[in-house]
């Protein structure tokens, strides 16, 4: 099992209309992704077979992708179906561009670079279009790698420093958590979490209800954060971190929540607030990578970092070509102060 066996988001469905082409980078591979007139999507290596112009700079003509340089034209399987300079004598042969598996799920377009391990499926976005819930979608570019991004999204101790007042205030409270590593994922269940959300509380937990909170990491690039307030309001943050290359990660965030009558009314405010918070994370993670590039990634840990070291153990298995689901199950209790 390797990173290429997994599915990665390359766009939101609405970003690719019929007869349109977009360019994307996934793990350093350049992709020309286009949709034909019937809605079928195709992901080709973004390099013309003729003289290597980027075909994503071309256009889709009658459902086929035409290179901008000399007009060689590709169908959705990547096959060259037209060479203008050969006129009517041209007969399609076996010239075929490299293509990748692509699928659409929950209004996202996914690509994977390998076709091994066909049992691997895209991560199902929780509560997507579930009655009573709404979803706000955001995209942010982080100058850091997938593992450091994912760790940030399930890291509580940073919140009082990077998002003071907004997300959480330092109150010197003791947190307890149960951490489990199983099936290529890490789950953290927090205990005795207090009503400590900075001024974000007015929306997240206006009545000061008891908080249910779990964070999960799913190999190789997904995190979900679930908050339950007073047993009825539910807020989920799902982040899919897509490796553009070794130093850049494009993060697709779904904020999916059910807040009763406030669900729809609060959308602009929730969007704005989330953008402020994620912007703060972008900044600190940019800085982290700047230092990693100069001094290397030599990390030291406190007990609260056990979550991260288990995430890293899963990533290391994939790096070694092994299936992280086969790692032995582990469980631990931790305590830390926020
Ligand atoms: S480079 Fe694409 S048609 Fe010539
Ligand atoms: Fe953060």
């Amino acid at each position: 099992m390797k990173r290429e066996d997994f599915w990665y988001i390359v766009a939101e469905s609405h970003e690719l209309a019929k007869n349109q082409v977009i360019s994307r980078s996934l793990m350093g591979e350049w992709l020309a992704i286009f949709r034909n007139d019937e809605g079928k999507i195709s992901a080709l290596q973004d390099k013309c077979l003729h003289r290597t112009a980027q075909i994503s700079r071309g256009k889709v003509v009658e459902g086929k992708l035409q290179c901008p340089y000399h007009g060689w034209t590709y169908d959705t399987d990547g096959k060259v179906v037209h060479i203008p300079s050969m006129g009517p004598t041209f007969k399609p042969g076996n010239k075929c561009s490299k293509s990748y598996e692509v699928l659409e799920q929950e209004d996202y377009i996914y690509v994977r670079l390998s076709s091994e391990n066909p049992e691997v499926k895209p991560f199902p976005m929780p509560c997507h279009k579930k009655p009573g819930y709404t979803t706000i979608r955001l995209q942010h570019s982080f100058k850091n790698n997938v593992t450091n991004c994912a760790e940030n999204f399930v890291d509580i101790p940073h919140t009082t420093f990077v998002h003071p007042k907004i997300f959480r205030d330092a109150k010197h409270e003791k947190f307890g958590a149960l951490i489990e590593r199983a099936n290529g994922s890490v789950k953290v269940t927090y205990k005795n979490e207090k009503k400590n959300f900075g001024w974000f509380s007015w929306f997240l937990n206006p009545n000061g209800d008891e908080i249910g909170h779990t964070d999960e990491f799913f190999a190789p690039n997904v995190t979900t954060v679930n908050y339950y307030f007073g047993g009825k309001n539910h807020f989920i943050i799902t982040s899919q971190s897509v490796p553009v290359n070794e130093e850049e990660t494009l993060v697709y965030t779904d904020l999916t929540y059910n807040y009763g009558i406030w669900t729809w009314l609060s959308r602009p405010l929730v969007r704005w607030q989330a953008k402020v918070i994620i912007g703060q994370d972008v900044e600190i993670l940019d800085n982290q990578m700047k230092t990693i590039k100069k001094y290397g990634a030599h990390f030291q840990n406190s007990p609260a970092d056990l979550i991260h070291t288990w995430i890293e153990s899963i990533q290391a298995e994939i790096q070694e070509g092994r299936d992280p689901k086969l790692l032995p199950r582990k469980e631990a209790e931790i305590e830390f102060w926020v």
Side-chain angles (χ1 to χ4, degrees):
M1 180 148 279
K2 54 196 181 303
R3 288 196 312 163
E4 288 80 356
D5 295 344
F6 294 89
W7 291 90
Y8 298 94
I9 296 172
V10 290
E12 295 177 42
S13 292
H14 71 84
E15 293 178 285
L16 187 64
K18 281 182 182 171
N19 285 319
Q20 204 193 336
V21 58
I22 52 176
S23 78
R24 289 291 186 270
S25 173
L26 179 59
M27 287 183 220
E29 175 68 323
W30 287 0
L31 302 169
I33 302 161
F34 72 102
R35 198 192 282 275
N36 73 5
D37 32 15
E38 287 161 1
K40 186 177 176 203
I41 303 174
S42 173
L44 307 181
Q45 190 174 55
D46 194 6
K47 172 182 78 74
C48 184
L49 294 175
H50 181 223
R51 287 295 181 275
T52 70
Q54 272 184 283
I55 48 179
S56 63
R57 296 170 67 107
K59 56 185 177 192
V60 185
V61 180
E62 291 170 1
K64 298 176 184 70
L65 182 59
Q66 189 181 66
C67 177
Y69 197 1
H70 312 90
W72 283 33
T73 304
Y74 300 82
D75 71 6
T76 49
D77 296 326
K79 191 169 163 175
V80 178
V81 289
H82 186 48
I83 297 180
S85 66
M86 291 179 72
T89 59
F90 175 76
K91 299 249 179 325
N94 53 9
K95 286 188 178 57
C96 201
S97 159
K98 193 167 186 183
S99 67
Y100 296 104
E101 286 180 68
V102 58
L103 64 76
E104 222 166 353
Q105 180 177 299
E106 290 139 1
D107 302 325
Y108 277 127
I109 299 167
Y110 288 84
V111 167
R112 68 176 195 145
L113 298 180
S114 141
S115 48
E116 286 168 35
N117 296 304
E119 74 285 356
V120 177
K121 303 283 182 247
F123 184 81
M125 296 307 271
C127 298
H128 181 77
K129 295 199 171 151
K130 190 173 170 184
Y133 284 76
T134 191
T135 293
I136 291 169
R137 284 209 158 149
L138 300 170
Q139 295 181 23
H140 288 85
S141 169
F142 286 74
K143 300 277 174 288
N144 209 318
N145 61 36
V146 167
T147 303
N148 289 334
C149 288
E151 288 189 7
N152 171 269
F153 304 147
V154 293
D155 179 290
I156 288 193
H158 87 281
T159 55
T160 56
F161 290 92
V162 177
H163 320 294
K165 302 276 181 260
I166 306 177
F167 192 15
R168 222 176 237 113
D169 274 337
K171 292 230 173 94
H172 310 293
E173 285 172 353
K174 190 148 94 172
F175 272 56
L178 171 70
I179 318 178
E180 300 158 85
R181 183 188 72 187
N183 263 322
S185 69
V186 176
K187 181 174 184 177
V188 190
T189 308
Y190 291 97
K191 296 175 196 168
N192 54 41
E193 190 162 353
K194 302 280 166 34
K195 297 132 191 155
N196 174 15
F197 280 96
W199 65 263
F200 207 29
S201 304
W202 63 264
F203 173 69
L204 278 174
N205 196 19
N207 304 324
D209 292 324
E210 195 184 315
I211 299 170
H213 175 191
T214 58
D215 287 354
E216 278 174 277
F217 165 80
F218 300 91
N221 69 324
V222 181
T223 57
T224 60
V225 173
N226 271 273
Y227 286 109
Y228 294 91
F229 301 106
K232 58 180 196 303
N233 291 342
H234 186 195
F235 196 96
I236 319 162
I237 307 158
T238 306
S239 308
Q240 297 217 27
S241 299
V242 177
V244 173
N245 53 47
E246 288 307 318
E247 293 169 10
E248 188 186 349
T249 301
L250 194 57
V251 177
Y252 293 84
T253 310
D254 271 20
L255 304 150
T256 297
Y257 61 95
N258 183 345
Y259 261 76
I261 54 161
W262 298 107
T263 304
W264 288 90
L265 289 167
S266 60
R267 280 183 60 95
L269 219 48
V270 174
R271 173 183 290 273
W272 170 78
Q273 187 66 87
K275 280 169 86 165
V276 171
I277 290 172
I278 298 173
Q280 293 168 330
D281 286 324
V282 166
E283 222 177 290
I284 194 72
L285 280 159
D286 283 9
N287 179 260
Q288 181 191 28
M289 182 45 89
K290 196 171 143 190
T291 319
I292 287 173
K293 277 157 95 175
K294 183 163 172 64
Y295 292 111
H298 308 292
F299 298 161
Q300 297 208 2
N301 298 303
S302 69
D305 296 307
L306 188 62
I307 300 159
H308 306 323
T309 53
W310 284 6
I311 290 174
E312 287 158 19
S313 72
I314 287 173
Q315 301 295 55
E317 284 300 288
I318 299 171
Q319 194 64 35
E320 293 302 315
R322 293 189 289 263
D323 184 349
K325 289 199 182 77
L326 304 178
L327 276 171
R329 191 182 175 285
K330 270 187 172 182
E331 191 180 294
E333 302 254 3
I334 57 164
E335 281 183 343
F336 61 97
W337 294 80
V338 176

